[in-house]
């Protein structure tokens, strides 16, 4: 048991070193790096599709992380945005080393904002810094209001929490005020957005928040 803890610390220590290297590369190139995390299907790729179109004035690039398939990269690529797909082959999160390999295929000097979509998972990605400047948790109305309380590590690290799929509110028994209150309870400072990627509601506000933090 003690041995296991020691090994984990070693792995995470090495990850932090690589994350610091990634951060140096972002800063040297003047790139704002933004990670999107959240449950499978919460709408991370949908939010990216909307956001990169809303931020046309910015030169965006995307790194996609998935356990299998390049389906998300294909969706982003169809918008004419440079995209790299990382397939983790079963690993439930990206780590800084994977992102470092992906970065070798990104033209950083010609990018203002780099989005990194992590593997859909509300647990594992919380432990691995990728060197990003901002972390955005994408939650959705269909997940229920209690996820910040049940998966606090992920929400605690967030700079912003996006509550997506608000177009489904008439059909889903979820209390949005309570959802916001539960986010606040674990993270009093995160900015909270309510979006619908099908109607476009809230996309402008979220894009403006990102633009204000751009380099
Ligand atoms: N009604 C509704 N559906 C949405 C919204 N956003 C995304 N969806 C749908 O939800 C499903 C999942 O969306 P994705 O963007 O693939 O979700 P994801 O978080 O990227 O999923 P993974 O990458 O597999 O973790 C798709 O069928 C989307 O069309 C929304 O705001 N409203
Ligand atoms: Mg996705």
């Amino acid at each position: 048991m003690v041995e296991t803890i020691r090994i984990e610390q070693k792995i995470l220590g090495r990850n932090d070193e690589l994350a610091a290297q990634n951060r140096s590369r972002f800063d040297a190139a003047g790139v704002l790096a933004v990670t999107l995390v959240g449950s499978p299907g919460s709408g991370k790729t949908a939010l990216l599709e909307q956001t990169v179109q809303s931020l046309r004035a910015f030169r965006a690039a995307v790194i996609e992380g998935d356990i299998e398939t390049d389906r998300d990269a294909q969706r982003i690529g169809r918008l004419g945005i440079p995209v790299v797909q990382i397939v983790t082959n079963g690993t439930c999160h990206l780590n800084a080393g994977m992102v470092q390999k992906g970065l070798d295929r990104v033209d950083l000097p010609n990018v203002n904002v780099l989005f990194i979509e992590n593997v859909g998972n509300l647990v594992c990605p919380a432990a691995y810094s990728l060197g990003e400047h901002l972390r955005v948790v994408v939650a959705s109305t269909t997940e229920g209001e209690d996820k910040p309380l049940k998966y606090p590590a992920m929400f605690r690290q967030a700079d912003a929490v996006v509550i997506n799929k608000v177009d489904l509110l008439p059909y889903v028994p979820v209390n949005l005020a309570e959802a916001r209150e539960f986010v606040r309870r674990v993270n009093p400072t995160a900015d909270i957005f309510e979006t619908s990627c099908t109607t476009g509601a809230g996309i402008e506000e979220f894009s403006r928040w990102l633009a204000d933090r751009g380099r």
Side-chain angles (χ1 to χ4, degrees):
M1 196 59 193
V2 171
E3 186 67 4
T4 306
I5 291 167
R6 197 173 62 78
I7 289 166
E8 278 177 4
Q9 282 176 342
K10 211 168 147 190
I11 290 170
L12 289 176
R14 177 65 182 148
N15 186 76
D16 284 347
E17 282 170 27
L18 295 173
Q21 290 173 14
N22 290 347
R23 172 67 75 96
S24 298
R25 284 173 78 176
F26 299 142
D27 290 342
V31 171
L32 176 72
V34 184
T35 303
L36 276 78
V37 292
S39 304
S42 61
K44 296 176 293 298
T45 310
L47 184 68
L48 273 182
E49 288 171 317
Q50 294 290 329
T51 305
V52 294
Q53 295 184 87
S54 167
L55 288 176
R56 277 291 178 194
F58 281 72
R59 288 173 297 180
V62 176
I63 292 179
E64 285 288 350
D66 279 292
I67 288 178
E68 281 293 350
T69 86
D70 63 355
R71 290 175 65 91
D72 284 0
Q74 286 184 30
R75 284 167 62 182
I76 300 297
R78 279 197 280 276
L79 301 173
I81 302 293
V83 58
V84 174
Q85 178 77 52
I86 296 172
V87 173
T88 67
N89 277 319
T91 303
C92 57
H93 58 85
L94 290 175
N95 62 40
M98 295 176 192
V99 169
Q100 200 158 83
K101 289 201 183 90
L103 283 179
D104 292 339
R105 290 158 56 202
V106 178
D107 183 16
L108 279 184
N110 283 312
V111 169
N112 302 123
V113 55
L114 175 71
F115 294 102
I116 304 170
E117 180 183 341
N118 215 317
V119 175
N121 186 322
L122 264 184
V123 183
C124 312
Y128 292 83
S129 169
L130 306 178
E132 68 275 78
H133 299 102
L134 298 174
R135 269 193 178 213
V136 177
V137 173
V138 183
S140 57
T141 54
T142 50
E143 293 165 41
E145 55 278 281
D146 58 359
K147 295 304 166 284
L149 301 182
K150 296 175 76 173
Y151 303 88
M154 193 66 97
F155 286 86
R156 207 173 283 131
Q157 295 175 347
D159 297 287
V161 174
V162 175
I163 303 173
N164 188 34
K165 307 194 187 182
V166 292
D167 57 291
L168 297 181
L169 281 172
Y171 317 104
V172 182
V174 66
N175 182 332
L176 204 53
E178 199 168 42
R180 294 178 74 101
E181 151 61 17
F182 289 161
V183 172
R184 279 275 156 270
R185 211 180 282 179
V186 298
N187 186 334
T189 59
D191 290 302
I192 303 175
F193 297 90
E194 293 168 12
T195 62
S196 166
C197 294
T198 52
T199 70
I203 299 297
E204 223 180 282
E205 288 86 340
F206 177 62
S207 301
R208 207 174 309 126
W209 181 85
L210 283 170
D212 285 347
R213 281 153 186 79
R215 264 94 243 274

